[in-house]
């Protein structure tokens, strides 16, 4: 049986930690669909269309990874895509409680879909989209933490905000 996994998130923006998980997951599953949440409660820095465009460009190196956006329940999207697995990245223990609750809720909603927890390389264990944005906003260097295109978009975005 071919295994399809969904890798959900806000990806505002994608970090090298996300890419590390995708690189590992791509070796475990036949297909991974990156599922970008369309309507997060939070106000994203990058509009959905831009996040989709960035993601598509950075995953183009892998033939078995594709990018889509979704709203509504994740399990409904996973079912619609024929996925058997949800991939969930775990960086630190602090991620666990939230991810644990979501996983149990998803299991209740759709017992036929399994969640697989994956850890990124130690080098990315502290990297989050939130911290990357904070550092970039305050003028810090995020080289190596995000793809080069994302680093320059962050720079441009915060320079434009400072100028307005
Ligand atoms: O990158 P994020 O913001 O931590 O990703 C959170 C995400 C998108 C995985 C989560 O918010 C989600 O699955 N939202 C879809 C709504 C849903 O299915 N909710 C019930 C599951 S608890």
């Amino acid at each position: 049986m071919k295994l399809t996994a969904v890798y959900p998130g806000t990806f505002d923006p994608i970090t090298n930690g996300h890419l590390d998980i995708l690189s590992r997951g791509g070796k475990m599953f036949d297909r991974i669909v990156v599922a970008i949440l369309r309507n997060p409660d939070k106000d994203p820095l990058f509009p959905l269309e831009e996040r989709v465009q960035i993601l598509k460009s950075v995953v183009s190196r892998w033939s078995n990874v594709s990018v889509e956006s979704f709203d509504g329940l994740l399990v409904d999207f996973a079912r619609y895509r024929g996925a058997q697995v949800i991939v969930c990245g775990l960086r630190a223990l602090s991620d666990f409680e939230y991810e644990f609750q979501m996983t149990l809720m998803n299991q209740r909603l759709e017992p036929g879909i399994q969640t697989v927890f994956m850890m990124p390389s130690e080098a990315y264990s502290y990297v989050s989209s939130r911290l990357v944005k904070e550092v970039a906003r305050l003028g810090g260097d995020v080289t190596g933490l995000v793809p080069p295109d994302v680093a320059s978009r962050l720079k441009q975005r915060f320079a434009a905000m400072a100028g307005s």
Side-chain angles (χ1 to χ4, degrees), residues 126-146:
Y126 64 95
V127 178
S128 69
S129 301
R130 185 184 62 79
L131 267 188
V132 159
K133 282 185 284 193
E134 183 172 320
V135 170
R137 181 171 57 83
L138 298 172
D141 184 9
V142 293
T143 307
L145 305 180
V146 292

Side-chain angles (χ1 to χ4, degrees), residues 8-11 18 35 37 42 70 72-75 98-99 101-103 105-106 109:
T10 308
F11 302 104
H18 293 126
L37 183 64
K42 22 193 171 173
F70 78 104
L73 286 175
L74 172 61
V75 289
Y98 171 63
E99 303 295 351
Q101 285 177 340
M102 281 206 302
T103 299
M105 183 58 80
N106 285 334
L109 294 168

Side-chain angles (χ1 to χ4, degrees), residues 67-144:
V67 178
E68 290 182 45
S69 60
F70 78 104
D71 56 16
L73 286 175
L74 172 61
V75 289
D76 286 341
F77 176 77
R79 248 193 312 246
Y80 162 70
R81 273 285 152 240
Q84 300 90 345
V85 173
I86 293 169
V87 169
C88 174
L90 269 191
R91 287 162 306 198
L93 211 54
S94 49
D95 284 344
F96 188 72
E97 194 171 343
Y98 171 63
E99 303 295 351
F100 183 72
Q101 285 177 340
M102 281 206 302
T103 299
L104 290 176
M105 183 58 80
N106 285 334
Q107 266 178 23
R108 182 176 191 277
L109 294 168
E110 176 46 271
I113 296 178
Q114 307 305 324
T115 297
V116 170
F117 289 89
M118 295 187 66
M119 283 179 65
S121 152
E122 195 186 353
Y124 302 119
S125 58
Y126 64 95
V127 178
S128 69
S129 301
R130 185 184 62 79
L131 267 188
V132 159
K133 282 185 284 193
E134 183 172 320
V135 170
R137 181 171 57 83
L138 298 172
D141 184 9
V142 293
T143 307

Side-chain angles (χ1 to χ4, degrees), residues 1-38:
M1 183 178 67
K2 294 248 180 212
L3 270 185
T4 297
V6 164
Y7 181 39
T10 308
F11 302 104
D12 183 42
I14 185 155
T15 68
N16 286 347
H18 293 126
L19 285 177
D20 187 71
I21 296 282
L22 272 174
S23 153
R24 291 163 195 274
K27 293 176 189 131
M28 291 170 61
F29 305 107
D30 296 294
R31 196 164 71 104
I32 302 190
V33 182
V34 179
I36 308 180
L37 183 64
R38 209 175 286 159

